[in-house]
Amino acid sequence: MTQFRARRTWLVLGVVVAVIVLAGSGLLSPRTSVLVDDVAQLVGGATATAVCWWTSRRHHGVERRWRTLTALGMAGWTLGMFFWAFYRSVLHVPLPSPSIADIGFFMFPVFAVPALLSLVRESPRREAIGPIHLWLVLTLDGLVVVGGLFILTWTTALGAVVHTGPTGSLGFLVAVMYPITDFVLIAMVLLMVIGPKAVAEIREPLTFLGCGLVMLSLSDSLYAYLVAIGAESMPTIADAGFIAGPPLIALAALTKRTEPRNRDAPQQWRSDRTQLLLPYLLIAVIATIVTVQALIVGNLDAVVVILGVGVLVLALVRQILTLLENDALLQQISAAQDELRYRAHHDPLTELANRAAFDEHFASAIENYRLTNSDWVLMLVDLDDFKQVNDRYGHPAGDRLLVALTARLREAVPESAFVARFGGDEFTVLLQGPIDDAVVVARRIVDALSSDQTADTSVSVGASVGVAQFELADEPLSAHALLRRADAAMYEAKRSGKGAVVVYCDRRED
């Protein structure tokens, strides 16, 4: 398939070159050469329209949208070409400007701009800052590039032509609009080709599309120049861009999106950096050229000053949007980090602290006890007969029951207590205070968890609580020793009939 596409591309390019050489070789009579030129442009435009429309029917979503819009634009261009050919080959008007053909030609950029904007697909970047923001940034970048290219063209050639040409004529104003609209499209394609990873998948069709636009722009610029100097006809060779542009656009529609490839972070960073710096690099080049011209000529053209200020304002607005974009991305990253941090320390079902968070808080409590000798108590809460719920009603019912019991557990303990899910149906409670107060809290826990459970089960559950004080006279104080004693007290509570509270320190059932 790749070889077929390569042969197809070379065949199309070969035919285009052959037609251009034949029309501009001088071997044909002037009238025949113009006829071949017009027919080639008309056939190329009609073919590009048909190919874009046909390929759009074979795709969906964004792929269909940009091809459909391009087909509509090329249809308008082809209609304009029909009237242009009629003027030149039938009415024998060498340079029909202005004419009704201009209406059709200007339809192409009207549809091409939204076609290019539709190619900015969903991506992490777009999700972070929003499609409207991203399109606005792309538009500003395009305007900066277009303004810069126009300033360069004005200072090097177009300005002199305008000052000496028939600037007041409608034909001249219409002709100048062609290279300006082409600059807009070329700038957009350029920014997208060097753009983010989401556009890398369509870089090949964008390259063909960009080449087609460049060819159209070259001939449009020559056309504007000839109208500006008052030429009576347009040489056939100057239409080479009009002959080559539509077939290249057709090749863009025939080219499929490449499979996404995983690119490492440095490559992605370089791509984003290039897209960010391109408008400012162009501004630097413009400033250099304008400065050199001012030193040589001694003054600056009013058009250059006005456009230069406009480009700087656009660049400033673009910079503000970049700062807002970076702030949005930083906020998203911060929110994601907070979410990850929360998920790393909380149980996903009950939203209680998990084992990892309990270990950290337990270690801090032990350290606080060693430094201040304040009273601390560890409780180990185990649900009684909970396994019967899972066995009889299934794990979803057990999960719902756990969520309901967790809410009761939170209500039974003080706000200062630290509650964690220790295991499947085991919970831990860390409480700062005397042992007598802790026993009262433990009894409230037993009462809260021993009531009838949710309505969709009939199994009665309860809770056994083992209590251990942060006070070990016979061995060094450690988390392992405290957990072992709380666990032993809890199992003694279960052996004593369940639904009980046992304090390990004095081996007394309460």
Side-chain angles (χ1 to χ4, degrees):
M1 184 61 69
T2 303
Q3 293 180 351
F4 171 75
R5 291 204 304 265
R7 287 197 297 267
R8 179 184 63 196
T9 301
W10 285 112
L11 176 62
V12 171
L13 295 179
V15 172
V16 169
V17 171
V19 172
I20 293 174
V21 171
L22 177 63
S25 63
L27 299 177
L28 305 176
S29 65
R31 185 167 295 183
T32 304
S33 178
V34 170
L35 179 62
V36 171
D37 184 359
D38 289 342
V39 170
Q41 295 182 56
L42 194 58
V43 171
T47 302
T49 302
V51 169
C52 290
W53 186 261
W54 175 67
T55 54
S56 70
R57 299 301 92 190
R58 302 173 60 188
H59 294 83
H60 301 280
V62 175
E63 292 293 297
R64 168 176 288 188
R65 191 178 305 122
W66 83 263
R67 286 176 169 86
T68 301
L69 291 170
T70 305
L72 293 174
M74 285 306 305
W77 190 92
T78 305
L79 182 63
M81 187 60 228
F82 173 80
F83 288 107
W84 178 272
F86 180 79
Y87 277 111
R88 293 212 309 177
S89 297
V90 178
L91 301 181
H92 305 298
V93 179
L95 195 61
S97 177
S99 69
I100 193 174
D102 295 319
I103 299 176
F105 290 143
F106 280 123
M107 287 180 63
F108 178 69
V110 169
F111 288 99
V113 169
L116 291 173
L117 288 176
S118 69
L119 286 170
V120 185
R121 296 190 54 182
E122 288 76 11
S123 65
R125 182 185 179 192
R126 178 173 176 172
E127 292 175 359
I129 65 177
I132 296 178
H133 190 149
L134 189 57
W135 288 355
L136 182 59
V137 170
L138 182 64
T139 302
L140 287 173
D141 284 345
L143 290 175
V144 170
V145 173
V146 169
L149 292 176
F150 189 83
I151 291 175
L152 290 177
T153 305
W154 186 273
T155 55
T156 54
L158 186 58
V161 173
V162 169
H163 289 309
T164 58
T167 57
S169 67
L170 178 62
F172 172 77
L173 296 177
V174 171
V176 170
M177 287 301 298
Y178 284 110
I180 293 177
T181 55
D182 290 332
F183 280 158
V184 173
L185 296 175
I186 292 173
M188 291 179 64
V189 173
L190 179 62
L191 291 170
M192 294 176 70
V193 167
I194 66 171
K197 182 179 180 180
V199 185
E201 303 171 17
I202 55 172
R203 186 156 291 143
E204 187 175 355
L206 272 177
T207 301
F208 280 117
L209 186 59
C211 291
L213 294 175
V214 168
M215 296 305 296
L216 292 176
S217 177
L218 290 176
S219 288
D220 279 338
S221 299
L222 290 174
Y223 167 68
Y225 174 77
L226 293 172
V227 172
I229 64 175
E232 297 182 354
S233 63
M234 188 168 182
T236 305
I237 193 63
D239 286 337
F242 296 145
I243 297 174
L248 288 170
I249 294 174
L251 287 175
L254 288 170
T255 304
K256 295 182 179 180
R257 177 185 297 269
T258 59
E259 293 296 328
R261 297 179 299 174
N262 293 326
R263 302 195 303 171
D264 55 23
Q267 288 177 318
Q268 177 66 34
W269 181 78
R270 286 194 295 269
S271 175
D272 291 341
R273 180 186 60 181
T274 303
Q275 184 189 29
L276 179 64
L277 294 180
L278 178 63
Y280 305 105
L281 293 175
L282 183 59
I283 291 176
V285 173
I286 295 171
T288 303
I289 293 177
V290 170
T291 301
V292 172
Q293 186 182 50
L295 294 175
I296 296 176
V297 178
N299 61 351
L300 288 176
D301 194 300
V303 175
V304 175
V305 175
I306 294 173
L307 288 178
V309 172
V311 168
L312 290 176
V313 171
L314 290 173
L316 179 61
V317 174
R318 198 264 182 262
Q319 182 63 31
I320 294 174
L321 288 177
T322 301
L323 294 175
L324 295 176
E325 172 187 332
N326 292 338
D327 181 67
L329 292 175
L330 288 175
Q331 289 182 5
Q332 186 188 44
I333 292 173
S334 178
Q337 290 176 339
D338 292 341
E339 179 68 17
L340 289 175
R341 192 178 299 110
Y342 179 85
R343 292 301 173 188
H345 291 84
H346 289 79
D347 175 61
L349 176 64
T350 63
E351 299 295 328
L352 290 175
N354 58 16
R355 179 67 181 270
F358 168 75
D359 290 340
E360 294 179 5
H361 201 84
F362 196 18
S364 298
I366 293 175
E367 185 65 21
N368 178 268
Y369 171 78
R370 288 171 175 165
L371 294 175
T372 64
N373 200 30
S374 56
D375 294 326
W376 280 88
V377 176
L378 168 65
M379 303 181 195
L380 191 59
V381 183
D382 187 83
L383 299 180
D384 300 328
D385 301 319
F386 183 78
K387 185 176 182 299
Q388 296 182 32
V389 178
N390 286 331
D391 293 343
R392 184 177 302 180
Y393 300 99
H395 289 281
D399 289 344
R400 290 193 296 271
L401 181 57
L402 274 177
V403 172
L405 294 178
T406 297
R408 298 178 187 176
L409 176 60
R410 283 174 168 167
E411 294 177 357
V413 301
E415 293 184 1
S416 59
F418 183 83
V419 184
R421 186 181 180 187
F422 198 66
D425 58 354
E426 283 188 329
F427 303 89
T428 56
V429 179
L430 281 172
L431 186 64
Q432 187 174 16
I435 186 64
D436 293 337
D437 293 347
V439 171
V440 173
V441 173
R443 286 173 177 165
R444 285 207 305 264
I445 293 174
V446 170
D447 293 339
L449 301 185
S450 297
S451 56
D452 291 337
Q453 68 280 14
T454 55
D456 58 350
T457 66
S458 59
V459 177
S460 296
V461 297
S464 299
V465 181
V467 182
Q469 236 181 331
F470 281 36
E471 191 175 69
L472 303 179
D474 55 343
E475 60 179 301
L477 180 67
S478 66
H480 175 72
L482 288 171
L483 282 171
R484 188 181 70 248
R485 295 196 171 193
D487 187 65
M490 182 267 296
Y491 275 105
E492 184 172 332
K494 284 185 173 293
R495 287 193 297 269
S496 65
K498 303 179 181 179
V501 176
V502 171
V503 179
Y504 182 86
C505 58
D506 55 8
R507 307 290 292 176
R508 180 182 72 249
E509 181 180 340
D510 297 297

